[in-house]
Amino acid sequence: MEDSDASLTRKRPRLDSGSRSYRSLSADRLVPPHSANALNTERATPPVETPIIPVTSGEQVNPTVEGTSSKMTINVRDPALQPPPLMPTTPICQSLTHHDSDMDELANLSEPELHKSHDEPISTHVSPPPSSPGSPEIEVAEVEDISQEPGHTKWRTLGSVSDPVRTRSEMWAIFPYRNRTQSPWEAAEELHRHFLHQPTEDPTLFRDLSDWIRQYLDVTKSISSQPFDMYDDEYGFWMTFISVINVLCKRSNNRGTPVLPLPLQQNFSSEHRKTFEELLASFVALTFRMVEIDCHMLQNLAADENPKQELVSAGYLEWLSCIVSSSENKSPLWKHLRHMYDYDSKPTISVLTKEICRPSFNGLAMLAQLLRQVLNRARTLPGVIEKLGNIIDSVSRVVDHFQPLQAGTSGPEFALRSSRRMSLTAAYDFFETTDAMFQRFISKQNAALSHDICHTMLRHLSNLLRKITTTSNDLTTKVLKEKLGLDQGFQTAAAPVIAEEGWKFQVFRKCFLEGRMEIRIQGVESMQRELVEIHRLFISGTHISQWNPVVLFLSDFIIENKLIDYLLGAESHPRLIRLTANIVGFLVVTFRYTEAESDRIWHTVKTSQDPGVVGAVLQMLPGIFNISDYPILLYLVEKLNEIPLSAWDTRMTIYAESLINATIKKWNELNRGHGMDESPYHCCIRLIREASDLGSSTFHKRRSISVFANRMLENLLNVGPSDEDRLRIYEDCIDHIARRTAFATGSFCVISVLLRHDARTNITILATDFDLASLVIAEFEQTTAKMSQDLPDRRGFDECLTVRLELLQHLIISSPESITLEGGWRLWDAMVGSKAPGDMARDSALIMLVNATTSLRKRNPFIDACISEYLPKLAPRFFTKNILFFVNQVINYGAFLERTDQQVESSHSDRLGIDMLWRIALVAPSHTIECKAIETLVLTYLDSPKAQGAPKAAIERMHVEVVERCVRQLTIAASRLKAFTDGTSSGEDEPMVIVASDEEIHLQRLSFSRSLLILRELFGRIRSHPSYSPVPSAHSQLHNDIEEIKGIPVTIHYQSFIGASQSPVKTLQVGDLEKVQDLMQRFEALTGFTTYTVILGGQNLNIGECCDSTLRDSRLHDKGLFIIRKTPNSESILDLTQVRVLKPLEMEVMGYFSEFYRFLSLDETLSIEILEFLKAFPPHEYVISLVNSTTSSIEDIFPTATPFKALYSVYTYEQCLELSLQNGSPSQDFMGQSIRMMAESLSSTTGTGSTLMTKGEHLAVAGLVECLLKFLKEAARTDSSNEILSDKLLVVDRLLSLITLADDTRDISVASSLICGSLGCVLEASLHSETLFESFKNADRFRTILQKALLHDQRRPIRQGIARSIRSICDHPTLEASKKYNFASYCWESLQSIVPETLQYGLHAENFFSVANTVLRSLEDTYRQTLPLTAYVQDWTGLLIQHHHDEVRQLKISNVFQAPLNVL
């Protein structure tokens, strides 16, 4: 081997223990000082420190042997009288080899020679042979000890006194392959690396290492009384040396394949085998020397004193358990030898184990002593106690090689059997010693016994006991009798298993009875795992498993020791309880589980005050359900009835659900013909009934229990009950209902659940035999009456009502004939009518009726009575939202009967349903369901399957019927309201006025308003969906006078443009023989353009050149899209009688215009509704002709007695103006005539005060002013427009008076229209007429109006409207500059004079300053220069200085005044 690198050399640390003095072990201390000069004269050596020899108390330390001779005496002692030493010399080595004792004499080496290079040869020698047996042994002692008692005299052998240090030093000097520069442990590390990586061709290395170990053991046998010196001085070396041993099992080649440090040859020669076995024997002997040293060290330490180092024997014992194991998984060494050399390891292991157990060697006793010492110091040696497994495992491996001997052997075999018996006895003694200490640790609750250590001890001790009992029948019998107290005989094969399992279960029991909590849990875990393993070995897959002796013993052990009582008792711990499922399950699978065990377990559930214990039991029990028989599960279900509802919680619910499902599953596996037993049904029924009692518990708890019980009962109905049990359940429930008990609600629920599976058969029996319908109706009446008097909580209310309605639904569907007409009236009144406890109850009942009607497949007498008798007589105040669902379902019900053609009158229900919808829509109280009812009614006509599947003509007839019915209802309501107002004549001679009640008037007004709402909803739906009523084509209405198409029909595509706006692309069908001139006339009629250009194919079409040509000749229709662009500023031809194309249904409505127009004379509220309805359609041609006729009077157009007719005329004017603007510039004649008519109407209106004017008059005047303003803004401002108003002064005066009139108007929208509109009209009219403007200026009211409207008025919309009117003139882009200047200058004069007053109205000055800023900017520069701007600035600055305000964070109120004034 090469020299090790200097960097790899390490120094051994100093070691000490307790108060003793120890010397550190180094290379120079291994050589005595006197040997250096004697053995090496060539080289001088430095002085060596004198070694210190530690002694016990009372001894004196002398530096040299000579110095002690005068104080010692010699004693000759017979070796036969001397007690045998604990450790023999090397008998185990001699038993395997016959090593020659003649070795070379040891060369005396000086210290420098010990550090020579490893390349120099090292002389090996052996010590002289020991004295012959029987020769006297010379011992020496201190002189002062002679007077002591012989038993206390400290005698030592002469060899140990003569020169012990020299002998040990010589052993370190001859360590194999150690060079002179290395310490012994450095040489061991080098040897470790060599064994791990270098080839070993020469077997002498094994021999040299084995010889050195034997020599060391021989040399140090006489100094066993000095273990502390060896332990501390040599500790580092022996901790390193163990790696040399372990490398035998870990060496590998470059590819990772394990190889032995032996030559890789075909045959494992006898020489290699011999040297290898010698080495193993030496290692075993060395291991027990380490055990002996550790025993002495621990024994001589004080009770409170601990070693600072790890036990040196720990690593050697780990190796020993590996080397004495024949298992290739435990020892890869044997696996490799067998694989490479076909080496049989069993003989070698057998010899090793035999010598370990030899009485003279006493290896097992030595291991027991070490184990006892370690356990005694378990509290202070937590790291050492973890190595106990190696000690026990080593003993177990040794015992593993003992095979049972045949009885009756003699001679050598008998001697061998006797030797093995003694060894087994020693192993058993070791087991008993360890077991006693282990169980004492458990009982004393030693903290050093952790979970892992306890598990290790259990595993190794059980392995050891198993091997002992399987090897010796006598020891097995001893274990059974002494430890388990079993005298009866067992089968030979079962006895060892019973002995092992019995010991285990006793330890398990001690763990969870006496151990700490951690150990208690481990004991239960280990027991249940062991039972699972027993089940796998002896029960699973067999047919007579329950009679196996092991199974019987363990089940008896559990029962006799009352483990169930303890583990599942009320005083147990939840963590233990959760782990007992397999323990209880073992009794189940062995058929030892009885009802008594269930009673004991359930007693814990009922009596324990700890919720954790109860929850743990309920969590554990489901673990046995899958292996339990049906009777066990059924009995556990019966125990559920012992739990009161107050103790029932979520955990109990989960447990009960699991139990009942397991019971159902087990019943299905049995596959019996009759129904399941009653217990599960009674349990669910009890829970349902008790949970239905409102006072039993909180709502959430009762609700969860009820839901669970209902679900479980439904599951149970799949497997029963039998007919007899079902009938008994029905009888019991009906009895509760008849007696009106607290469980009546639960009984309703139970019957409903049972009826869900076979309703028709059972309900018939109940209705016939028990008169169920009468009982239920009577009970329902009483319950609803009680609810009406004392309305319970909403949740309890729903609970009580729902279960009763469900049973009523079953009766209505399956046995409607059992409900008499009188009973039906009572039931209807209690469900929906006057006796119902509220709208919530009505909605719930109506939903039940909807569900019942939905499921019907034939005519139902009760539902028919509801449709024809009960529902039409229901008072409107009882209408709820769900009544619409029921009526809808009634319509579907009638449609279904009609489709199935069951009776001739099947459509009667459909018609009654629609009539009921009409009734609800017309008479439902306001702000309830009227809007939804109207929407439902309209959708019934539009989207119902019957409407969608009908032909187009039939659909149109349906729509027309709706219009006619609404108009008819409007007419009737209007005539009755008029009669109620005017009075009616009764009799011929004396007229009598009939005075209507408020309710009658209210109903007629509702009918009138709702009929209009129905019409508006109908047309809104139709307009949003064109498919309901398609729009007729424009040319079909405008040119229906064309008789025929000339020539072949061709399609013309055209699009019209007005400025930036355009129409969609339209089509026109003409004949190809028509002339181009005719086509242009059609375009004029279609577009209304008088002057236009036509673009075709990207070019302007010259109409004059081709006007006489036909389309066939010119082929214009083949050139693409006709683009018709209106010439700017040209007037349009407009037929005002056709302002918009009407749909057929709209034309149908307008056919009744005379009636609607007459309704405008009703009271204000109804007239407003009629007016809003009429505005949804284009103006009627009658009113259009009035406003366009030059002969119409003002009274005809704006009748003063009916202001809403005047408003309709205003609407007509606005629509005509809007349509004219869409088609170009409006006709000036029409504009002038309209303005004059409206101005004269305003002038002729009497100036009564606003308080005397009606709302209609206010609306009429406001509408007229706004309409006049629109016309004035669109009228051309030319010279001829001066005469647009006839009496200008009167108009101005009337408009200004309307501003004053609006001050007292409460309606802000009307006031805004009057003030802003009137001022806007005056200003716009002033722009048309200078005379009018001058008269307006002369009136000198503009400043007052501005001051009042922009500052004083508190209504912001009015201030904004006035500002908007003024800004529109100042910012008008096309207004003449002179007119804009005149107006702005006049306006500025008024505004600047008002500025000082803004200080008082700071919060309202925002719009004022906005107007002032706009007016000032619109003035010309020349005029602004004439203004006193400097004075303005001075005055306004003074205003800012005078302004006082309170600054509030995050509020900018002051900016409303300051900022605009600063800008101005």
Side-chain angles (χ1 to χ4, degrees):
M1 292 188 297
E2 298 179 359
D3 292 339
S4 60
D5 187 72
S7 63
L8 300 176
T9 304
R10 64 177 176 86
K11 292 184 178 181
R12 179 175 138 345
R14 290 186 59 86
L15 305 172
D16 63 31
S17 176
S19 62
R20 298 181 181 272
S21 299
Y22 295 96
R23 54 186 176 179
S24 60
L25 180 62
S26 59
D28 56 347
R29 293 178 182 267
L30 292 176
V31 183
H34 65 270
S35 64
N37 295 328
L39 297 177
N40 189 3
T41 59
E42 297 179 359
R43 304 172 63 179
T45 59
V48 181
E49 181 183 353
T50 302
I52 300 174
I53 303 175
V55 296
T56 59
S57 178
E59 296 180 334
Q60 296 183 5
V61 181
N62 298 285
T64 61
V65 178
E66 289 79 359
T68 64
S69 60
S70 63
K71 295 182 181 182
M72 291 187 178
T73 181
I74 300 175
N75 179 32
V76 179
R77 179 176 295 180
D78 189 353
L81 301 176
Q82 184 179 355
L86 282 174
M87 179 64 198
T89 309
T90 52
I92 190 169
C93 303
Q94 296 173 2
S95 65
L96 290 175
T97 63
H98 300 283
H99 184 64
D100 190 4
S101 63
D102 296 333
M103 301 181 67
D104 297 334
E105 186 176 357
L106 177 64
N108 295 323
L109 300 177
S110 62
E111 182 182 3
E113 290 176 339
L114 291 175
H115 297 280
K116 288 184 179 180
S117 173
H118 185 69
D119 295 334
E120 299 181 11
I122 300 176
S123 298
T124 59
H125 66 280
V126 296
S127 60
S131 302
S132 60
S135 62
E137 184 175 349
I138 300 175
E139 295 182 347
V140 297
E142 300 292 340
V143 177
E144 56 268 21
D145 292 340
I146 295 177
S147 62
Q148 296 177 359
E149 293 295 330
H152 296 84
T153 301
K154 298 180 180 179
W155 297 97
R156 291 183 292 174
T157 62
L158 181 62
S160 64
V161 179
S162 60
D163 194 4
V165 177
R166 177 184 60 80
T167 303
R168 291 168 61 192
S169 300
E170 291 170 353
M171 291 308 302
W172 299 124
I174 65 172
F175 186 78
Y177 289 91
R178 175 194 173 208
N179 60 35
R180 299 185 183 277
T181 62
Q182 291 178 320
S183 62
W185 55 83
E186 290 173 340
E189 290 178 347
E190 188 68 27
L191 187 59
H192 168 267
R193 289 191 293 270
H194 181 79
F195 278 178
L196 185 62
H197 300 295
Q198 301 298 328
T200 55
E201 299 289 343
D202 188 4
T204 57
L205 178 60
F206 286 170
R207 183 182 299 112
D208 293 343
L209 188 59
S210 176
D211 291 344
W212 184 86
I213 294 174
R214 288 205 314 273
Q215 293 177 48
Y216 178 84
L217 296 176
D218 289 340
V219 168
T220 57
K221 70 175 182 177
S222 60
I223 59 173
S224 59
S225 61
Q226 302 174 356
F228 292 104
D229 293 343
M230 295 178 61
Y231 195 82
D232 282 333
D233 292 345
E234 303 170 7
Y235 181 82
F237 171 78
W238 294 116
M239 293 299 291
T240 305
F241 189 71
I242 186 60
S243 64
V244 178
I245 303 175
N246 288 333
V247 80
L248 292 176
C249 300
K250 299 179 181 179
R251 174 173 172 150
S252 61
N253 56 20
N254 294 332
R255 295 173 296 176
T257 304
V259 296
L260 196 67
L262 299 172
L264 298 178
Q265 55 187 11
Q266 294 295 330
N267 296 319
F268 191 33
S269 65
S270 59
E271 184 180 3
H272 286 90
R273 183 188 298 270
K274 180 180 178 181
T275 57
F276 176 65
E277 291 174 348
E278 290 176 358
L279 180 62
L280 294 181
S282 301
F283 283 164
V284 171
L286 181 61
T287 298
F288 280 90
R289 171 58 61 84
M290 298 299 128
V291 172
E292 180 188 15
I293 291 174
D294 283 339
C295 288
H296 276 278
M297 185 270 298
L298 295 175
Q299 186 175 6
N300 287 276
L301 288 177
D304 57 347
E305 188 177 4
N306 298 320
K308 299 296 182 61
Q309 304 88 8
E310 184 181 1
L311 295 181
V312 70
S313 61
Y316 290 87
L317 288 174
E318 183 178 359
W319 172 85
L320 180 65
S321 65
C322 176
I323 207 65
V324 297
S325 174
S326 60
S327 172
E328 294 181 352
N329 294 329
K330 178 70 175 177
S331 179
L333 172 66
W334 304 127
K335 178 179 180 181
H336 175 67
L337 289 176
R338 181 185 60 79
H339 178 71
M340 297 295 296
Y341 310 110
D342 197 20
Y343 181 82
D344 187 7
S345 61
K346 292 182 179 179
T348 303
I349 298 175
S350 297
V351 173
L352 293 175
T353 55
K354 182 189 71 173
E355 293 302 323
I356 291 173
C357 297
R358 188 164 53 84
S360 60
F361 193 83
N362 206 11
L364 297 182
M366 202 179 306
L367 293 176
Q369 182 182 359
L370 176 63
L371 186 65
R372 187 182 301 108
Q373 294 291 341
V374 171
L375 290 175
N376 286 333
R377 295 180 176 271
R379 289 183 178 274
T380 58
L381 295 176
V384 176
I385 197 173
E386 296 178 358
K387 306 295 183 180
L388 295 178
N390 294 330
I391 302 175
I392 305 173
D393 190 55
S394 300
V395 178
S396 178
R397 300 297 177 185
V398 171
V399 179
D400 195 25
H401 293 278
F402 294 145
Q403 301 296 331
L405 300 176
Q406 299 294 333
T409 55
S410 61
E413 293 183 357
F414 178 79
L416 180 62
R417 183 166 65 90
S418 176
S419 175
R420 291 182 176 179
R421 185 183 301 111
M422 294 175 63
S423 299
L424 287 173
T425 303
Y428 182 72
D429 293 340
F430 173 85
F431 168 79
E432 281 194 316
T433 301
T434 308
D435 176 40
M437 295 290 293
F438 174 51
Q439 295 200 34
R440 188 178 68 184
F441 269 45
I442 296 173
S443 301
K444 298 297 183 180
Q445 298 186 357
N446 195 314
L449 188 64
S450 64
H451 179 279
D452 295 335
I453 295 175
C454 184
H455 175 72
T456 302
M457 295 284 289
L458 275 171
R459 178 167 57 86
H460 289 296
L461 285 176
S462 63
N463 289 339
L464 177 59
L465 181 60
R466 179 172 63 254
K467 292 173 182 179
I468 292 174
T469 54
T470 54
T471 306
S472 173
N473 293 333
D474 295 339
L475 292 178
T476 301
T477 304
K478 183 177 181 181
V479 172
L480 294 175
K481 289 183 178 181
E482 295 180 359
K483 291 188 174 297
L484 304 181
L486 300 177
D487 296 332
Q488 67 272 24
F490 288 94
Q491 299 177 6
T492 305
V497 181
I498 293 175
E500 178 191 358
E501 296 299 332
W503 174 81
K504 281 185 182 180
F505 274 69
Q506 284 185 342
V507 175
F508 296 155
R509 180 175 178 272
K510 183 177 286 292
C511 283
F512 59 72
L513 285 179
E514 303 177 15
R516 293 180 292 110
M517 191 62 205
E518 179 185 11
I519 304 303
R520 293 173 65 191
I521 295 173
Q522 185 180 17
V524 180
E525 286 180 338
S526 302
M527 179 177 286
Q528 62 96 11
R529 280 198 301 266
E530 193 68 23
L531 290 174
V532 172
E533 184 66 18
I534 293 296
H535 179 272
R536 185 185 66 83
L537 294 175
F538 299 103
I539 298 178
S540 179
T542 63
H543 299 287
I544 55 173
S545 56
Q546 63 271 24
W547 307 117
N548 186 281
V550 178
V551 174
L552 290 174
F553 168 76
L554 293 180
S555 58
D556 289 339
F557 181 89
I558 295 173
I559 295 174
E560 292 173 1
N561 288 276
K562 299 182 179 180
L563 299 186
I564 300 299
D565 293 13
Y566 174 77
L567 292 175
L568 295 175
E571 302 300 327
S572 183
H573 195 277
R575 297 183 64 184
L576 300 180
I577 295 174
R578 294 189 186 97
L579 300 172
T580 56
N582 287 330
I583 300 176
V584 179
F586 187 80
L587 296 180
V588 174
V589 298
T590 57
F591 304 102
R592 305 298 298 276
Y593 186 91
T594 62
E595 293 181 357
E597 277 69 34
S598 296
D599 292 337
R600 283 191 287 269
I601 295 174
W602 207 249
H603 181 265
T604 301
V605 177
K606 292 192 301 180
T607 60
S608 177
Q609 301 299 319
D610 186 357
V613 171
V614 177
V617 174
L618 298 179
Q619 185 179 352
M620 179 278 302
L621 280 176
I624 69 170
F625 289 166
N626 61 326
I627 58 177
S628 299
D629 291 335
Y630 177 73
I632 296 176
L633 297 176
L634 194 63
Y635 188 74
L636 288 174
V637 172
E638 293 177 1
K639 306 301 287 184
L640 289 175
N641 289 323
E642 300 177 7
I643 304 297
L645 193 70
S646 58
W648 198 282
D649 55 8
T650 304
R651 296 171 301 180
M652 187 66 69
T653 300
I654 297 173
Y655 164 76
E657 182 174 3
S658 177
L659 174 60
I660 294 175
N661 288 335
T663 308
I664 295 174
K665 181 179 178 182
K666 188 65 65 174
W667 178 263
N668 290 330
E669 292 175 359
L670 297 176
N671 196 18
R672 299 185 179 181
H674 55 86
M676 185 186 287
D677 296 83
E678 288 183 322
S679 298
Y681 301 97
H682 287 321
C683 176
C684 295
I685 292 172
R686 179 187 75 90
L687 291 176
I688 293 174
R689 286 176 176 170
E690 293 183 2
S692 65
D693 186 2
L694 298 181
S696 60
S697 183
T698 62
F699 169 78
H700 293 290
K701 182 175 183 178
R702 292 188 297 101
R703 180 63 178 170
S704 62
I705 295 174
S706 179
V707 171
F708 156 73
N710 274 274
R711 186 174 67 253
M712 288 296 100
L713 184 58
E714 288 185 358
N715 294 340
L716 287 169
L717 292 178
N718 295 323
V719 292
S722 62
D723 295 339
E724 295 79 5
D725 293 341
R726 184 185 295 266
L727 185 59
R728 282 195 295 270
I729 294 173
Y730 281 139
E731 291 176 351
D732 189 35
C733 291
I734 291 175
D735 179 65
H736 281 286
I737 293 173
R739 292 187 294 111
R740 315 287 199 269
T741 65
F743 298 145
T745 301
S747 299
F748 272 106
C749 184
V750 171
I751 294 177
S752 298
V753 174
L754 293 175
L755 291 176
R756 291 171 193 169
H757 285 257
D758 190 6
R760 297 190 180 278
T761 302
N762 293 320
I763 200 68
T764 303
I765 297 174
L766 294 175
T768 304
D769 298 345
F770 299 98
D771 194 14
L772 181 64
S774 299
L775 289 176
V776 170
I777 292 173
E779 201 279 340
F780 189 81
E781 282 185 306
Q782 181 180 352
T783 302
T784 54
K786 184 178 179 181
M787 290 180 180
S788 300
Q789 297 173 0
D790 184 16
L791 191 64
D793 181 64
R794 165 68 187 272
R795 298 169 299 185
F797 173 83
D798 291 341
E799 182 181 358
C800 293
L801 193 63
T802 302
V803 295
R804 288 167 171 80
L805 291 176
E806 184 177 359
L807 182 55
L808 285 171
Q809 180 177 339
H810 286 296
L811 281 171
I812 292 170
I813 295 174
S814 302
S815 184
E817 61 279 354
S818 63
I819 304 176
T820 63
L821 184 61
E822 186 270 339
W825 269 112
R826 290 164 49 204
L827 179 61
W828 174 265
D829 201 24
M831 289 193 306
V832 185
S834 59
K835 295 182 180 179
D839 287 344
M840 292 185 298
R842 293 185 179 93
D843 281 334
S844 300
L846 289 170
I847 288 297
M848 182 274 291
L849 293 175
V850 169
N851 296 333
T853 309
T854 304
S855 61
L856 296 178
R857 292 298 176 265
K858 62 179 181 179
R859 182 171 294 280
N860 188 286
F862 180 77
I863 297 298
D864 290 344
C866 290
I867 297 171
S868 59
E869 299 292 337
Y870 311 146
L871 187 60
K873 298 178 182 179
L874 184 65
R877 67 178 183 276
F878 301 138
F879 290 169
T880 61
K881 59 181 180 180
N882 287 342
I883 196 172
L884 298 176
F885 297 123
F886 178 58
V887 174
N888 264 334
Q889 192 55 46
V890 167
I891 296 173
N892 297 333
Y893 168 69
F896 170 77
L897 295 179
E898 185 178 359
R899 288 195 305 270
T900 56
D901 196 21
Q902 294 184 10
Q903 291 185 12
V904 178
E905 300 84 1
S906 58
S907 62
H908 178 68
S909 299
D910 185 7
R911 185 175 64 255
L912 289 178
I914 295 177
D915 290 341
M916 190 61 203
L917 272 180
W918 277 97
R919 178 173 180 262
I920 295 172
L922 293 176
V923 302
S926 301
H927 310 296
T928 56
I929 62 170
E930 69 277 8
C931 295
K932 188 65 178 178
I934 291 172
E935 179 184 358
T936 304
L937 176 63
V938 171
L939 290 178
T940 302
Y941 281 100
L942 296 179
D943 292 338
S944 65
K946 183 177 180 180
Q948 292 180 350
K952 181 179 179 180
I955 295 176
E956 291 179 354
R957 284 196 303 271
M958 291 172 59
H959 298 170
V960 170
E961 288 177 359
V962 176
V963 173
E964 291 177 348
R965 182 166 182 170
C966 288
V967 173
R968 185 167 58 252
Q969 291 171 169
L970 286 169
T971 304
I972 294 173
S975 62
R976 289 182 179 177
L977 288 172
K978 184 174 178 57
F980 294 155
T981 304
D982 300 339
T984 58
S985 299
S986 178
E988 297 179 357
D989 298 332
E990 296 181 0
M992 182 179 61
V993 178
I994 300 177
V995 180
S997 64
D998 293 339
E999 183 178 359
E1000 291 177 335
I1001 296 175
H1002 178 69
L1003 289 177
Q1004 296 304 320
R1005 294 178 67 88
L1006 276 182
S1007 178
F1008 189 91
S1009 301
R1010 301 288 171 78
S1011 299
L1012 282 178
L1013 288 175
I1014 293 172
L1015 287 175
R1016 296 180 67 176
E1017 179 70 18
L1018 176 66
F1019 284 103
R1021 295 281 179 176
I1022 290 176
R1023 288 166 183 168
S1024 62
H1025 295 80
S1027 59
Y1028 292 140
S1029 181
V1031 181
S1033 59
H1035 64 81
S1036 64
Q1037 294 189 28
L1038 294 177
H1039 299 279
N1040 51 10
D1041 56 336
I1042 299 177
E1043 297 181 357
E1044 59 180 356
I1045 295 177
K1046 299 178 181 178
I1048 300 174
V1050 295
T1051 301
I1052 301 295
H1053 298 274
Y1054 70 96
Q1055 187 176 16
S1056 60
F1057 288 81
I1058 304 176
S1061 61
Q1062 63 188 34
S1063 69
V1065 176
K1066 302 178 181 179
T1067 59
L1068 175 65
Q1069 195 171 27
V1070 298
D1072 62 349
L1073 293 181
E1074 293 186 12
K1075 294 182 179 181
V1076 176
Q1077 183 178 1
D1078 298 334
L1079 179 62
M1080 295 302 111
Q1081 292 176 357
R1082 290 200 178 191
F1083 283 153
E1084 291 177 6
L1086 291 171
T1087 61
F1089 299 162
T1090 57
T1091 306
Y1092 58 89
T1093 57
V1094 180
I1095 301 173
L1096 184 64
Q1099 297 179 351
N1100 288 332
L1101 179 64
N1102 192 343
I1103 302 175
E1105 294 180 356
C1106 59
C1107 63
D1108 294 332
S1109 302
T1110 62
L1111 294 178
R1112 181 181 297 177
D1113 296 336
S1114 61
R1115 308 299 299 175
L1116 295 179
H1117 58 280
D1118 294 334
K1119 295 183 179 181
L1121 178 67
F1122 284 79
I1123 297 177
I1124 306 168
R1125 184 177 296 276
K1126 181 179 179 295
T1127 303
N1129 300 324
S1130 63
E1131 294 185 358
S1132 300
I1133 300 176
L1134 179 64
D1135 185 3
L1136 294 177
T1137 60
Q1138 295 291 341
V1139 293
R1140 196 181 76 187
V1141 179
L1142 296 178
K1143 296 181 179 181
L1145 194 60
E1146 292 176 331
M1147 290 187 286
E1148 181 69 25
V1149 172
M1150 296 309 293
Y1152 297 98
F1153 177 77
S1154 58
E1155 286 81 359
F1156 291 125
Y1157 195 71
R1158 182 167 52 86
F1159 295 155
L1160 290 173
S1161 60
L1162 295 174
D1163 61 68
E1164 293 179 349
T1165 304
L1166 301 181
S1167 297
I1168 290 175
E1169 295 177 358
I1170 286 292
L1171 179 63
E1172 293 299 323
F1173 174 72
L1174 290 176
K1175 285 184 178 181
F1177 301 90
H1180 192 263
E1181 57 183 7
Y1182 167 73
V1183 184
I1184 292 177
S1185 62
L1186 281 178
V1187 301
N1188 280 280
S1189 175
T1190 57
T1191 60
S1192 298
S1193 64
I1194 297 176
E1195 186 64 24
D1196 294 336
I1197 301 176
F1198 304 108
T1200 56
T1202 54
F1204 291 99
K1205 290 183 179 180
L1207 280 173
Y1208 187 77
S1209 298
V1210 170
Y1211 165 70
T1212 304
Y1213 271 118
E1214 290 176 347
Q1215 291 297 309
C1216 292
L1217 177 62
E1218 181 181 353
L1219 189 61
S1220 298
L1221 293 174
Q1222 291 178 359
N1223 292 275
S1225 300
S1227 172
Q1228 292 301 315
D1229 296 337
F1230 170 72
M1231 295 293 292
Q1233 179 186 354
S1234 300
I1235 292 174
R1236 284 190 295 271
M1237 293 296 293
M1238 286 184 279
E1240 292 178 4
S1241 177
L1242 286 174
S1243 301
S1244 62
T1245 304
T1246 57
T1248 57
S1250 62
T1251 56
L1252 300 178
M1253 293 178 63
T1254 64
K1255 181 179 180 180
E1257 292 173 346
H1258 273 102
L1259 293 174
V1261 173
L1264 194 58
V1265 170
E1266 288 185 345
C1267 185
L1268 177 61
L1269 179 60
K1270 292 179 182 178
F1271 273 81
L1272 289 174
K1273 286 183 177 180
E1274 299 300 333
R1277 299 182 180 92
T1278 60
D1279 296 337
S1280 60
S1281 64
N1282 288 328
E1283 304 300 327
I1284 197 170
L1285 296 175
S1286 57
D1287 193 347
K1288 304 178 181 61
L1289 296 179
L1290 182 60
V1291 171
V1292 172
D1293 183 68
R1294 179 56 181 160
L1295 290 173
L1296 295 178
S1297 65
L1298 290 177
I1299 296 177
T1300 305
L1301 181 67
D1303 293 339
D1304 300 329
T1305 305
R1306 296 180 181 179
D1307 192 340
I1308 189 171
S1309 61
V1310 174
S1312 178
S1313 299
L1314 290 175
I1315 296 175
C1316 301
S1318 298
L1319 182 60
C1321 288
V1322 172
L1323 297 180
E1324 286 291 340
S1326 299
L1327 299 178
H1328 289 274
S1329 173
E1330 295 181 359
T1331 306
L1332 191 146
F1333 183 62
E1334 291 297 329
S1335 63
F1336 174 63
K1337 292 168 62 177
N1338 294 333
D1340 196 18
R1341 298 177 61 182
F1342 189 48
R1343 182 184 182 280
T1344 304
I1345 293 174
L1346 292 179
Q1347 182 181 14
K1348 189 174 182 180
L1350 291 178
L1351 289 180
H1352 298 178
D1353 204 311
Q1354 301 290 330
R1355 295 166 290 187
R1356 187 173 183 180
I1358 294 177
R1359 298 197 302 270
Q1360 292 176 341
I1362 294 295
R1364 189 164 47 248
S1365 299
I1366 298 175
R1367 285 198 301 267
S1368 65
I1369 298 176
C1370 295
D1371 296 336
H1372 201 290
T1374 61
L1375 184 63
E1376 296 178 6
S1378 60
K1379 293 182 178 181
K1380 183 185 296 185
Y1381 168 74
N1382 292 334
F1383 172 77
S1385 60
Y1386 174 70
C1387 187
W1388 174 251
E1389 292 177 1
S1390 301
L1391 291 172
Q1392 63 87 18
S1393 64
I1394 304 176
V1395 171
E1397 300 182 17
T1398 57
L1399 186 62
Q1400 304 175 9
Y1401 305 95
L1403 295 177
H1404 301 160
E1406 180 180 5
N1407 297 112
F1408 175 83
F1409 285 115
S1410 175
V1411 171
N1413 188 32
T1414 302
V1415 172
L1416 184 60
R1417 290 180 182 276
S1418 65
L1419 292 174
E1420 296 180 356
D1421 294 338
T1422 56
Y1423 179 77
R1424 282 200 298 266
Q1425 293 176 359
T1426 63
L1427 298 176
L1429 300 179
T1430 304
Y1432 292 161
V1433 173
Q1434 293 177 354
D1435 295 341
W1436 297 345
T1437 304
L1439 292 177
L1440 290 174
I1441 295 174
Q1442 297 175 16
H1443 177 60
H1444 296 283
H1445 66 280
D1446 295 329
E1447 293 187 2
V1448 181
R1449 183 175 297 178
Q1450 297 179 351
L1451 293 179
K1452 299 181 179 180
I1453 300 177
S1454 60
N1455 289 342
V1456 175
F1457 173 78
Q1458 294 176 356
L1461 185 57
N1462 288 333
V1463 173
L1464 187 60

